[in-house]
């Protein structure tokens, strides 16, 4: 169906047998919609980065934890991380077994570490004190350590997780302390991991960090090196959010070729037969998700045109938190196909915060009350960061299957859910 601004989703048949209007009418808005074919394609692209035996994709569940999506990833051969008992719970609901889950977390209580061990997971620690805590309850067992390679990358200071200015990872200068604690608790170092940050569009920094990590591992005493089972190089692979500006994609061929060469030659040189993992969150799920919202009010305050929607910062936090850009489509249906030249419009939500802005002075055809908006690339860190701020309910989630049909995979919260934990 022709629409005001929908070329991108039209070209992908994103909504399958449906139109955004049908879906909004069937399930209400705000509504997260995921496309199964696009999800599967992203999984395969990630897995295709290297054909090295033992190369695998460890999906980082924090980007989106809906078990319906996790089940598809499992079918595609991905494994998952968990960083909290809640993520572990979701992974298990989706059918992942202990061998398919790595516990990659930080600053955990003894009880949380114990819970991960009780579930049979390999646990990554990212500080000396957590290594001690784990040692006390897992003497003779296995452990993984998260090292900080000293460099970081990311779209915003809040998502850079490598280098001196972050809380993450163990300083490699502490390696000797790590080895003596392993000795003290008779623990085996089964894995090493890192994550330098989220959203890079050039492969260089990631490859450099991978080289640094592999260099550090190569310096481990050989009895330690030979017991390593997994080396996890982290995530951060970016997607182009500026779809309508033709933003270039991350060059996965270049990245894959270099990564494959790096890991296979390193493995050969060091006689390493264990696994190499990459740990993407965003790349796997961002582009398969679109958030539909309704326009309920339009007004001018001074010279600025405001478009009032039901997509508050409680539903999609990224623009308010990081000034993130999400492209926006406008669906009006067949009746009123009157488009104007783009004009600046500020699209806002229904939350009582002046920072509740989805897009500021965005050049778009004039948006009208009654329009449906499609917020693109909302599959990663969309629903997973949603909240009930202002006691608004978290949205429903729908999956468009490979056959084009729509299936509810999470219903909209109900008012009673707001009272679920109250002691009254
Ligand atoms: N591994 C670890 C240990 C992580 O902390 C993260 C993300 C990932 C993997 C996956 O990173 P990705 O491939 O998705 O970039 N809320 C922010 C992103 C925060 C990322 C947190 N850690 C956003 O909406 O941009």
């Amino acid at each position: 169906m022709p629409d005001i601004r929908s070329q991108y989703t039209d070209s992908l048949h994103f909504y399958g047998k449906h139109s955004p209007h049908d879906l909004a009418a069937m399930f209400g808005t705000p509504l997260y919609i995921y496309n199964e074919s696009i999800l599967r394609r992203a999984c395969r692209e990630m897995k295709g980065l290297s054909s090295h035996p033992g190369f695998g994709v460890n999906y980082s569940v924090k980007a989106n934890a809906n078990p319906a999506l996790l089940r598809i990833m499992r079918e595609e051969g991905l494994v998952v991380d968990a960083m909290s008992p809640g993520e572990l719970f979701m992974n298990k609901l989706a059918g992942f077994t202990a061998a398919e889950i790595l516990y990659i977390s930080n600053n955990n209580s003894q009880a949380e570490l114990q819970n991960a061990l009780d579930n049979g997971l390999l646990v990554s620690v990212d500080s000396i004190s957590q290594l001690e805590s784990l040692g006390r309850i897992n003497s003779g067992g296995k452990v993984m350590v998260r090292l900080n390679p000293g460099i970081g990358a990311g779209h915003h200071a809040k998502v850079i997780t490598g280098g001196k200015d972050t809380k993450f990872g163990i300083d490699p200068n502490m390696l000797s302390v790590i080895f003596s604690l392993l000795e003290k608790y008779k623990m085996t170092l089964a894995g090493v991991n890192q994550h330098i940050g989220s959203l890079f569009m050039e492969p260089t920094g990631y490859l450099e960090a991978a080289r640094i990590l592999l260099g550090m591992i190569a310096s481990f005493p050989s009895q330690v090196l030979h017991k390593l089972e997994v080396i996890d190089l982290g995530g951060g692979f970016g997607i182009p959010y500026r779809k309508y500006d033709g933003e270039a994609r991350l060059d996965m061929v270049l990245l894959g070729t270099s990564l494959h060469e790096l890991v296979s030659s390193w493995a050969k040189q060091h006689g390493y037969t264990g696994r190499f993992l990459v740990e993407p969150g965003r790349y796997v799920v961002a582009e398969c998700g679109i958030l539909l919202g309704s326009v309920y009010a339009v007004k001018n305050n001074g010279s600025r045109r405001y478009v009032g929607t039901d997509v508050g910062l409680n539903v999609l936090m990224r623009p308010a938190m990081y000034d993130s850009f999400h492209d926006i489509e406008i669906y009006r249906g067949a009746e009123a196909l009157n488009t104007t030249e783009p004009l600046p419009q500020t699209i806002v939500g229904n939350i009582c915060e002046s920072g509740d802005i989805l897009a500021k002075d965005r050049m778009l055809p004039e948006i009208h009350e009654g329009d449906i908006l499609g917020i693109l690339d909302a599959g990663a860190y969309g629903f997973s960061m949603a909240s009930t701020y202002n006691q608004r309910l978290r949205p429903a989630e729908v999956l468009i299957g490979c056959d084009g049909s729509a299936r509810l995979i999470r219903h909209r919260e109900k008012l009673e859910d707001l009272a679920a934990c109250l002691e009254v």
Side-chain angles (χ1 to χ4, degrees):
M1 194 210 307
D3 246 312
I4 301 291
R5 194 178 200 244
S6 63
Q7 300 90 309
Y8 174 72
T9 46
D10 288 345
S11 70
L12 295 171
H13 301 292
F14 188 93
Y15 298 107
K17 293 176 183 157
H18 298 274
S19 72
H21 277 89
D22 295 351
L23 294 164
M26 273 157 46
F27 301 106
T29 63
L31 180 69
Y32 277 98
I33 303 189
Y34 306 105
N35 179 298
E36 179 175 350
S37 311
I38 298 176
L39 173 60
R40 288 188 186 274
R41 195 179 64 202
C43 293
R44 289 171 197 173
E45 212 182 338
M46 269 288 146
K47 284 203 76 184
L49 278 178
S50 169
S51 56
H52 181 76
F55 174 81
V57 180
N58 185 26
Y59 168 66
S60 194
V61 171
K62 52 188 73 61
N64 191 317
N66 189 302
L69 305 186
L70 296 179
R71 268 181 222 115
I72 294 169
M73 295 179 206
R74 184 159 189 268
E75 282 173 16
E76 292 292 336
L78 273 55
V79 294
V80 282
D81 72 359
M83 74 90 57
S84 64
E87 287 188 354
L88 172 54
F89 178 71
M90 292 305 217
N91 291 342
K92 285 166 69 177
L93 278 183
F96 285 98
T97 61
E100 297 166 333
I101 306 172
L102 287 175
Y103 205 73
I104 299 187
S105 188
N106 54 73
N107 307 331
N108 297 136
S109 67
Q110 200 91 340
E112 191 172 323
L113 293 173
Q114 187 65 56
N115 176 55
L117 293 176
D118 291 347
N119 277 279
L121 305 188
L122 179 57
V123 175
S124 163
V125 293
D126 97 328
S127 63
I128 296 296
S129 47
Q130 290 270 282
L131 180 56
E132 282 266 15
S133 305
L134 190 73
R136 285 194 284 271
I137 56 173
N138 194 32
S139 172
K142 291 180 180 177
V143 63
M144 185 160 173
V145 294
R146 175 168 176 175
L147 296 178
N148 182 335
I151 57 173
H155 68 85
H156 190 285
K158 288 178 184 163
V159 301
I160 295 175
T161 54
K164 285 201 176 57
D165 288 334
T166 91
K167 69 167 185 167
F168 296 101
I170 304 181
D171 185 333
N173 292 325
M174 304 298 280
L175 276 175
S176 57
V177 182
I178 295 177
F179 295 138
S180 61
L181 285 175
L182 291 173
E183 189 60 37
K184 175 174 169 191
Y185 292 106
K186 304 281 170 260
M187 280 199 292
T188 302
L189 186 63
V192 176
N193 65 302
Q194 71 176 13
H195 174 69
I196 62 169
S198 191
L199 207 166
F200 59 83
M201 295 304 284
E202 293 293 333
T204 343
Y206 186 83
L207 291 167
E208 182 53 20
R211 260 181 226 110
I212 294 175
L213 185 72
L214 293 177
M216 284 190 249
I217 299 173
S219 74
F220 289 3
S222 65
Q223 71 278 14
V224 177
L225 179 56
H226 288 122
K227 287 191 180 139
L228 269 190
E229 297 167 19
V230 52
I231 299 174
D232 184 337
L233 302 169
F237 309 86
I239 59 113
Y241 280 97
R242 292 175 186 267
K243 293 286 188 287
Y244 277 83
D245 296 337
E247 184 183 354
R249 298 192 71 81
L250 173 61
D251 189 339
M252 295 296 266
V253 175
L254 178 65
L255 175 58
T257 312
S258 313
L259 190 64
H260 177 75
E261 164 59 21
L262 179 65
V263 298
S264 43
S265 60
W266 189 90
K268 196 165 167 209
Q269 190 186 349
H270 298 282
Y272 175 73
T273 53
R275 292 192 292 161
F276 284 106
L277 296 175
V278 290
E279 198 170 270
R282 185 188 318 271
Y283 200 89
V284 178
V285 283
E287 292 176 294
C288 79
I290 292 185
L291 173 57
L292 290 187
S294 298
V295 178
Y296 289 130
V298 180
K299 69 176 173 189
N300 270 57
N301 264 357
S303 58
R304 185 166 272 142
R305 179 178 166 84
Y306 283 94
V307 175
T309 74
D310 54 5
V311 183
L313 59 75
N314 64 310
V315 176
L316 183 68
M317 181 71 153
R318 304 191 69 253
M321 189 150 173
Y322 317 110
D323 280 327
S324 297
F325 182 100
H326 285 261
D327 244 321
I328 295 177
E329 291 198 336
I330 306 166
Y331 314 120
R332 189 166 299 156
E335 309 93 54
L337 288 178
N338 51 329
T339 1
T340 61
E341 283 304 304
L343 67 152
Q345 296 169 88
T346 293
I347 304 170
V348 296
N350 50 8
I351 293 296
C352 289
E353 295 270 349
S354 43
D356 183 25
I357 298 174
L358 190 58
K360 193 168 182 185
D361 295 332
R362 185 73 64 86
M363 294 301 287
L364 288 170
E366 189 170 51
I367 300 173
H368 296 178
E369 192 181 317
D371 286 350
I372 301 286
L373 302 184
I375 322 302
L376 305 187
D377 303 316
Y381 306 107
F383 189 92
S384 68
M385 292 175 76
S387 76
T388 56
Y389 183 43
N390 282 184
Q391 303 309 303
R392 289 202 175 273
L393 305 174
R394 289 189 299 168
E397 297 180 286
V398 162
L399 180 65
I400 306 290
C402 293
D403 64 355
S405 61
R407 176 165 72 90
L408 191 63
I409 56 171
R410 180 183 174 109
H411 65 70
R412 190 172 302 286
E413 283 179 350
K414 302 186 182 68
L415 287 177
E416 305 82 81
D417 294 324
L418 294 175
C421 300
L422 296 179
E423 299 287 347
V424 280

